[in-house]
């Protein structure tokens, strides 16, 4: 009898513990999902929000809406279902892409499916998206993707993504670009509200071909890596390109590497600009043209700098090479008199170009290049200097025939 008296309280305690754990699982899942959406949106490229949210005890559901902040040509609807367990929550859903204009999607009627899991004890997610074959058409252009997979994992402050597209073909009339597989690996680490962040990206493009009636180019593997950092004072982007080997008519046309770094983009101005752009998309009054222009000028206040750290590209087919380095700097004197919103006009572009100073040293240039530039045939090193938008080579103005139109 004594044991029987303990059974009911014990079962009641277990049921209560299970109910509390189940409730906590749903609450923690909702908290982490809300925080992840807010932090990813704070990065600045995307507008993300939810509708039709139903937070249940055993299960939750809703629809995520994703669109680019500065473009309305596409958006994604992502319905999700979440089944809460004591320690994990299982999620699944699909992707419903939408495109503006007369684009048509052909994918056999099957929407891309995804599955994920939220681990309560570590507050992390992991999952994968399976991409079916898809074809997009717009007038004479078409894009075909022959399936792929996107895997992701992470949690607050640290996300990793690995995407693989098996084959891609882009066609326009008689021109065609194709290749595959394409592999993207990315890691994004950030602080609260993405106030500071670092993102590493690596994109590998294999088996490339560009085909048109009078030209065929092929590449074995092209790799592009980048490191983007936003700290207290500036945004910096360091990028490296490895061409592998590019072939034409069975010979190596190009091979080599290049690396550049963009820096001194004012961090506070970038954060304020992104906040203004988000407000423009979410509030009826938006922002004024004057506010936008002021913030764009603020963005340039620390004299943005582009370092061409290294260029080492050879053309065995042509017997030529491009080896050198250089820098370009934006001069902020007279910045208040510039109008970034008028840049589409030739006159305003010329005014901005006059703010650019820089230099580039081309080492061991082919003799024929010196001949084109009106320099002695034996000239091997070419020093290009830009002062207030005017380009000179080895102290001489460029030949008139090489001047660009302003």
């Amino acid at each position: 009898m004594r044991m029987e008296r303990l059974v009911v309280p014990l079962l009641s305690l277990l049921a209560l513990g299970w109910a509390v754990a189940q409730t906590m699982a749903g609450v923690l899942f909702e908290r982490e999902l809300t925080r992840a959406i807010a932090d990813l949106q704070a990065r600045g490229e995307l507008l993300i929000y939810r509708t039709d949210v139903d937070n249940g005890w055993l299960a939750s559901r809703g629809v995520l809406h994703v669109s680019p902040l500065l473009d309305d040509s596409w958006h994604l609807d992502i319905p999700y279902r979440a089944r809460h367990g004591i320690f994990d929550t299982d999620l699944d859903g699909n992707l419903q892409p939408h495109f503006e204009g007369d684009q048509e999607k052909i994918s056999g009627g099957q929407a891309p499916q995804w599955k994920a899991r939220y681990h309560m004890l570590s507050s992390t997610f992991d999952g994968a998206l399976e991409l079916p074959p898809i074809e997009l058409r717009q007038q004479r252009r078409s894009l075909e993707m022959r399936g792929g997979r996107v895997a992701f994992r992470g949690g607050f402050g640290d996300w990793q993504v690995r995407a693989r597209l098996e084959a891609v073909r882009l066609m326009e009339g008689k021109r065609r670009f194709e290749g595959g597989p394409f592999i993207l690996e990315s890691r994004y680490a950030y602080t609260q509200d993405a106030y500071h962040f670092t993102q590493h990206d690596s994109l590998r493009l294999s088996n490339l071909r560009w085909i048109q009636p009078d030209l065929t180019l092929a590449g074995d593997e092209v790799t592009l890596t980048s490191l983007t950092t936003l700290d207290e004072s500036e945004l910096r982007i360091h990028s490296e390109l490895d061409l592998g080997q590019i072939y034409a008519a069975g010979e190596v046309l190009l091979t080599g590497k290049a690396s550049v770094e963009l820096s001194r983009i004012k961090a506070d101005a970038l954060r304020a600009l992104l906040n203004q752009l988000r407000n423009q998309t979410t509030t009826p009054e938006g922002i004024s043209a004057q506010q936008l222009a002021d913030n764009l000028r603020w963005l340039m206040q620390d004299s943005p700098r582009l370092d061409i750290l290294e260029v080492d590209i050879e053309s065995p087919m042509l017997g030529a090479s491009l080896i050198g380095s250089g820098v370009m700097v934006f001069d902020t004197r007279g910045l208040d008199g510039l109008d970034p919103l008028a840049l589409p006009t030739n006159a305003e572009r010329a005014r901005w170009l006059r703010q650019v100073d820089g230099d580039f040293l081309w080492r061991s240039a082919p003799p024929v290049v010196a001949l084109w530039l009106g320099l002695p045939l034996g000239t091997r090193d070419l020093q290009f200097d830009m002062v207030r938008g005017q380009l000179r080579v080895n102290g001489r103005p460029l030949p008139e025939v090489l001047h660009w139109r302003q």
Side-chain angles (χ1 to χ4, degrees), residues 34 52 54 66 79 81 91 122 130 143 163 202 213 220 224 243-244 263 288 316 321 350:
T34 301
D52 302 324
D54 180 12
V66 181
R81 298 174 298 274
L91 299 96
S122 61
E130 301 297 335
L143 172 64
S202 174
D220 48 10
L224 176 64
L243 292 174
S263 60
S288 69
S321 63

Side-chain angles (χ1 to χ4, degrees), residues 37-319:
I37 292 171
D39 288 331
L40 292 174
Q41 181 167 262
R43 170 63 187 269
E45 292 94 340
L46 299 174
L47 181 64
I48 309 174
Y49 63 96
R50 283 192 293 170
T51 61
D52 302 324
V53 178
D54 180 12
N55 295 323
W57 185 44
L58 296 175
S60 301
R61 65 180 63 246
V63 181
L64 280 166
H65 303 274
V66 181
S67 60
L69 185 63
L70 301 178
D71 187 9
D72 58 0
S73 62
W74 64 268
H75 69 273
L76 284 176
D77 295 336
I78 311 176
Y80 69 87
R81 298 174 298 274
R83 295 173 298 280
H84 306 303
I86 296 178
F87 298 110
D88 297 320
T89 292
D90 291 320
L91 299 96
D92 64 79
N94 58 57
L95 260 62
Q96 299 173 3
H98 303 277
F99 301 92
E100 299 298 326
D102 57 353
Q103 271 181 324
E104 178 184 359
K105 183 187 73 167
I106 304 173
S107 61
Q110 180 185 5
Q113 304 293 313
W114 61 271
K115 293 183 179 181
R117 175 167 289 186
Y118 167 67
H119 306 278
M120 187 181 70
L121 297 180
S122 61
S123 297
T124 59
F125 292 84
D126 64 73
L129 166 68
E130 301 297 335
L131 296 172
I134 188 172
E135 181 177 349
L136 302 175
R137 291 183 178 176
Q138 184 181 44
Q139 297 179 355
R140 298 175 63 246
R141 293 187 292 268
S142 67
L143 172 64
E144 299 176 8
M145 293 184 289
R146 296 306 179 195
R149 189 173 190 269
V150 180
F152 58 90
R153 63 188 178 93
F156 174 73
D158 191 358
W159 288 92
Q160 297 179 56
V161 175
R162 189 177 194 275
R164 178 186 176 98
L165 296 178
E166 296 301 335
V168 174
R169 175 180 294 178
L170 176 63
M171 293 180 288
E172 181 176 11
K174 295 182 179 180
R175 292 178 295 179
R176 183 169 81 247
F177 170 78
E178 59 188 22
F182 294 172
I183 298 175
L184 171 67
E185 295 180 340
S186 180
R187 183 167 187 175
Y188 174 50
Y190 59 94
T191 61
Q192 183 73 38
D193 295 328
Y195 189 81
H196 298 155
F197 68 77
T198 299
Q199 181 165 332
H200 298 259
D201 296 298
S202 174
L203 176 62
R204 299 198 305 275
L205 310 176
S206 304
N207 304 314
L208 301 176
R209 296 187 73 194
W210 170 263
I211 301 171
Q212 61 184 51
D214 56 347
L215 177 66
T216 297
L217 299 176
D220 48 10
E221 183 171 279
V222 175
T223 303
L224 176 64
T225 60
S226 67
L227 171 62
T228 304
T229 304
L230 178 68
D231 59 22
E232 189 64 33
S233 61
E234 67 175 333
L235 174 75
R236 296 188 307 278
I237 305 174
H238 179 97
S239 299
E240 297 183 3
L241 174 66
D242 186 343
L243 292 174
Q245 291 185 325
I246 306 296
Y247 298 90
E251 296 186 48
V252 178
L253 175 63
L254 291 174
T255 183
K257 301 179 180 180
S259 61
V260 300
E261 181 171 285
L262 177 65
S263 60
R264 302 205 303 218
I265 304 296
K266 194 169 184 64
D268 288 340
L270 179 62
R271 297 183 186 105
L273 178 62
L274 292 175
N275 285 334
Q276 284 186 331
L277 292 173
R278 276 194 295 271
N279 290 338
Q280 185 179 29
T281 61
T282 57
T283 60
E285 62 274 10
I287 60 174
S288 69
Q290 185 61 49
Q291 287 176 313
L292 184 58
D294 289 343
N295 230 328
L296 289 171
R297 281 190 287 265
W298 186 20
L299 202 68
M300 311 290 286
Q301 195 175 70
D302 289 343
S303 294
R305 174 185 176 114
L306 177 66
D307 285 278
I308 306 171
L309 302 173
E310 178 188 19
V311 178
D312 187 356
I313 297 175
E314 296 184 9
S315 176
M317 175 185 286
L318 303 177

